[in-house]
Amino acid sequence: MPGPRVARALCLMAACVLAAGCTDGAADTTPASQRPATPSAEQSSPQARPSPVASVHSEGRTRVLEYGDLIVRATPENSGVRTEIEVANTYKQDTTYSIQISIADGKGWTAYNRFWLQDVPPGKTGRDDAMIGSEDMGPVPQVPKIYVDEFTPVGK
């Protein structure tokens, strides 16, 4: 039987993928084969938390996905989609996070990046950013769809 942290991570991933893919009010039509599969991991946790509700909104040209401890911002630029992540560590120990984010347009343009936030102290927020995709892939999505393919907290 998986530990509480595994169950939480799996619920988090499933809800993020479902909610984030519907950023324009319609289900994403990008074939699943164009998005990477989500690997699984096992960890232990002192207690399970209820799954939060995903929220997607716009801040100007930036699409924002908020889901519990994770916030993802995706801003279209000429050379790709600037993607910023932040994770608030609500655990009682330093925590490392493995996060994979995909950005898509719902019509075939899909790109992803893996973020690795190491040793985020309790009560602090880990941040990282990257350009996802490129203009070589075709027109950059102007209303990017955000997918959380993996969100795995790994305690010490």
Side-chain angles (χ1 to χ4, degrees):
M1 179 170 183
R5 188 174 279 181
V6 172
R8 178 176 179 264
L10 292 174
C11 289
L12 236 164
M13 288 184 286
C16 280
V17 169
L18 290 173
C22 298
T23 58
D24 63 357
D28 183 20
T29 58
T30 304
S33 63
Q34 293 182 359
R35 290 196 308 268
T38 302
S40 62
E42 290 192 27
Q43 302 86 25
S44 60
S45 172
Q47 64 184 18
R49 296 184 223 180
S51 294
V53 176
S55 168
V56 179
H57 64 275
S58 292
E59 294 175 355
R61 293 176 7 114
T62 301
R63 296 295 289 169
V64 181
L65 168 69
E66 295 182 38
Y67 188 77
D69 303 336
L70 175 66
I71 298 174
V72 182
R73 288 182 174 80
T75 307
E77 296 185 0
N78 291 336
S79 57
V81 178
R82 168 72 48 201
T83 305
E84 303 169 12
I85 65 164
E86 59 183 64
V87 177
N89 182 1
T90 57
Y91 296 103
K92 294 179 181 178
Q93 71 269 358
D94 285 3
T95 303
T96 295
Y97 297 88
S98 175
I99 303 162
Q100 182 168 304
I101 303 295
S102 291
I103 302 295
D105 67 356
K107 301 171 194 157
W109 191 104
T110 304
Y112 67 93
N113 190 59
R114 176 170 304 281
F115 297 89
W116 187 253
L117 300 176
Q118 290 186 302
D119 301 326
V120 178
K124 300 294 182 184
T125 300
R127 293 178 173 81
D128 200 0
D129 68 273
M131 187 66 68
I132 296 183
S134 70
E135 57 191 339
D136 296 340
M137 297 173 59
V140 174
Q142 296 305 299
V143 181
K145 294 179 181 289
I146 302 168
Y147 296 91
V148 176
D149 300 318
E150 178 187 344
F151 178 70
T152 306
V154 183
K156 285 187 162 184

